[in-house]
Amino acid sequence: MATIKVKFRPSSISTKEGVVFYQVIHSRIVRQITTNYRLFPSEWNSQMQIVSFSSCISERYNYLSILQKYIEKDISRLQNIIFHFERSGRNYTADHIVKAYQSEKQNGSFLHFIEETIQELRQIGRERTAETYTTVLNSFARFCHKKGNVFLDDVNTNLMIEYESYLKSTGLTQNTTSFYMRNLRAIYNRAVDCELTIQRYPFKYVYTGIDKTVKRAVSEKIVRKIRDLDLRFSPSLDYARDMFMFSFYTRGMSFIDMAYLTKKDLQGGILSYRRHKTNQQLFIKWEKPMQAIIDKYDTSSTPYLLPIIKNPHTNTRRQYKTATHFVNDKLKKIGQLLDIPVVLTTYVARHAWASIARSKNISLSVISEAMGHDSENTTRIYLASLDTSLVDKANRLIINLV
């Protein structure tokens, strides 16, 4: 019958952690399974083949306790595989055991399920959700690095509390940690729906809400300063400023919606587009400041209205994301030039339009609580029932203020 041994290989560098690995021995053939579990030599009892707590510092105790549990689970799985091979009566080798173990690890892995989910989303064109889940995957994978593989059945309240603590330790705000938790919960619930695990409500004790944050808005005086700043010395800063002002002029249009505006969207003095976020159609009366920005750039070789996506034949999503980073980086420098008290981004233009409108006592229904409502459904109801002329009148008022 096959046997399993737990071994520890110290690092060649004395100050670094070594790695735990398993030996699978059958018919005098030895095969090795390497893990991601990392330990210092003083934290391993080679005689007992277990984690040693005798000299560990308090900060490492929880980590070592969890690691020992994962080792025990791995050994239990390996022994169960051997038991099934023995009971089947068929001949098997150490390689068969290793292959069965690795297959089982992959099929029950939470990280592997997230990767499969991302691939499925990309196949059906849900690129934005796929990108969000990729961000979550990268974060959770970093958290799991020292734990090794995390199975779907291992996802419980203790693990999520530990992950939340990890996120907070990196300096993230409560809303940002909630972003990771909400998306991880959505992925976990997909696994439950697929009957890959039972519902254990692992997110019960972590924060998944959304706190109201201080608006990233600037006053009409600052918007005027941004507009009037002499940037002839720097075309890149001038371009970023134009994108900011275009967003402001178009009632705080999001950068992704700006990127995908086409020339066909502008007809008869009306700009119409569908929001990427909600698929809601909006109409904006075309104003002179908008045209002035369009006239500055040559977009004759593309169907797009703005010079954000410059090559329609290559990955447009990648071009949009690259432009987003570029513009926000330049806007940050403009903010520093003007000593603006907030970090200037394209999103600030959206909040600026809303806050200025509110300061002028424009009806909340007119400026749309899409920029202040907690409920997007409520916002959608407001917008769907608006007389477009009221919105256009409000927009002209805001533009004329600056």
Side-chain angles (χ1 to χ4, degrees):
M1 186 173 178
T3 57
I4 308 297
K5 291 184 179 180
V6 187
K7 298 287 186 177
F8 172 74
R9 183 186 301 112
S11 171
S12 57
I13 302 173
S14 59
T15 56
K16 288 192 174 183
E17 297 167 302
V19 64
V20 174
F21 65 96
Y22 308 136
Q23 281 186 347
V24 180
I25 307 165
H26 185 53
S27 299
R28 298 183 180 180
I29 301 297
V30 181
R31 292 292 181 262
Q32 182 175 301
I33 299 173
T34 303
T35 75
N36 291 322
Y37 308 146
R38 299 290 189 267
L39 294 167
F40 292 108
S42 61
E43 297 170 336
W44 182 250
N45 186 324
S46 58
Q47 185 176 359
M48 300 291 293
Q49 296 184 6
I50 59 173
V51 174
S52 173
F53 297 88
S54 59
S55 59
C56 80
I57 58 177
S58 58
E59 289 81 1
R60 296 275 291 179
Y61 185 85
N62 287 337
Y63 165 69
L64 295 176
S65 298
I66 293 169
L67 191 146
Q68 179 59 39
K69 290 178 182 177
Y70 277 108
I71 292 174
E72 291 170 0
K73 284 185 178 180
D74 289 345
I75 298 305
S76 178
R77 287 189 173 98
L78 282 164
Q79 290 172 341
N80 192 46
I81 289 169
I82 294 169
F83 172 76
H84 284 294
F85 275 132
E86 289 285 339
R87 192 172 63 175
S88 70
R90 294 179 296 169
N91 290 330
Y92 66 94
T93 65
D95 288 321
H96 287 133
I97 298 171
V98 172
K99 186 176 181 180
Y101 173 78
Q102 291 173 338
S103 176
E104 184 179 304
K105 288 279 279 186
Q106 188 179 57
N107 291 337
S109 165
F110 192 21
L111 293 176
H112 181 67
F113 178 76
I114 299 174
E115 290 170 351
E116 286 187 330
T117 300
I118 292 168
Q119 291 174 5
E120 290 173 6
L121 289 169
R122 288 207 165 104
Q123 288 171 359
I124 62 176
R126 294 181 61 187
E127 188 65 31
R128 188 167 182 172
T129 305
E131 288 176 356
T132 297
Y133 285 3
T134 300
T135 300
V136 174
L137 170 64
N138 292 337
S139 170
F140 193 63
R142 287 192 294 270
F143 164 71
C144 294
H145 175 67
K146 290 189 176 183
K147 294 179 175 298
N149 213 344
V150 172
F151 290 89
L152 283 163
D153 290 344
D154 294 331
V155 180
N156 54 33
T157 54
N158 288 336
L159 183 68
M160 289 303 101
I161 290 171
E162 190 180 351
Y163 178 46
E164 184 181 52
S165 297
Y166 162 80
L167 292 173
K168 290 178 179 178
S169 72
T170 63
L172 298 180
T173 64
Q174 184 164 255
N175 275 348
T176 305
T177 62
S178 177
F179 161 83
Y180 285 106
M181 289 298 177
R182 292 196 311 274
N183 284 284
L184 200 61
R185 180 179 60 188
I187 298 168
Y188 174 81
N189 287 339
R190 286 173 71 109
V192 174
D193 291 341
C194 294
E195 299 183 350
L196 297 176
T197 188
I198 63 172
Q199 179 61 267
R200 294 180 175 82
Y201 303 101
F203 300 87
K204 184 177 180 180
Y205 300 115
V206 296
Y207 183 72
T208 55
I210 302 175
D211 279 351
K212 288 187 176 181
T213 58
V214 176
K215 292 286 194 298
R216 289 174 286 179
V218 292
S219 67
E220 59 194 82
K221 181 179 178 181
I222 290 178
V223 172
R224 198 178 295 116
K225 282 185 176 181
I226 295 170
R227 183 198 64 185
D228 297 339
L229 183 63
D230 184 0
L231 294 173
R232 288 173 294 178
F233 66 92
S234 176
S236 61
L237 293 182
D238 189 35
Y239 165 71
R241 185 257 307 277
D242 285 341
M243 296 304 101
F244 178 92
M245 293 306 302
F246 188 89
S247 173
F248 180 80
Y249 292 148
T250 52
R251 309 199 307 252
M253 186 185 297
S254 68
F255 196 70
I256 188 170
D257 292 330
M258 287 170 51
Y260 286 95
L261 287 176
T262 66
K263 293 161 187 172
K264 291 181 180 179
D265 292 332
L266 180 57
Q267 300 285 339
I270 300 295
L271 180 65
S272 63
Y273 71 100
R274 286 192 178 274
R275 290 199 65 199
H276 274 66
K277 186 174 183 178
T278 62
N279 200 38
Q280 182 182 6
Q281 190 164 22
L282 298 177
F283 300 90
I284 300 175
K285 190 175 186 300
W286 197 245
E287 302 285 353
K288 287 183 179 179
M290 305 171 193
Q291 187 64 45
I293 291 174
I294 297 300
D295 290 342
K296 285 178 64 174
Y297 300 95
D298 180 10
T299 58
S300 57
S301 62
T302 80
Y304 298 106
L305 193 62
L306 290 165
I308 297 173
I309 298 173
K310 299 177 181 179
N311 187 344
H313 305 297
T314 58
N315 191 319
T316 58
R317 180 79 181 178
R318 187 174 299 162
Q319 291 181 71
Y320 146 69
K321 292 190 71 177
T322 300
T324 302
H325 292 305
F326 178 83
V327 169
N328 282 332
D329 178 65
K330 300 305 177 185
L331 286 176
K332 183 178 179 181
K333 292 179 180 177
I334 291 173
Q336 292 169 346
L337 284 173
L338 294 174
D339 198 24
I340 294 173
V342 299
V343 177
L344 199 62
T345 68
T346 56
Y347 203 61
V348 173
R350 182 170 177 81
H351 279 304
W353 192 93
S355 64
I356 293 172
R358 293 186 73 169
S359 71
K360 300 305 175 183
N361 296 318
I362 295 173
S363 167
L364 287 180
S365 60
V366 173
I367 64 172
S368 149
E369 272 292 44
M371 303 167 200
H373 269 334
D374 290 328
S375 169
E376 190 170 308
N377 288 330
T378 303
T379 301
R380 196 175 295 118
I381 293 170
Y382 271 110
L383 288 175
S385 62
L386 278 180
D387 180 351
T388 304
S389 64
L390 289 176
V391 180
D392 291 331
K393 188 182 293 184
N395 193 39
R396 178 172 291 173
L397 173 61
I398 300 303
I399 290 174
N400 289 339
L401 286 172
V402 299

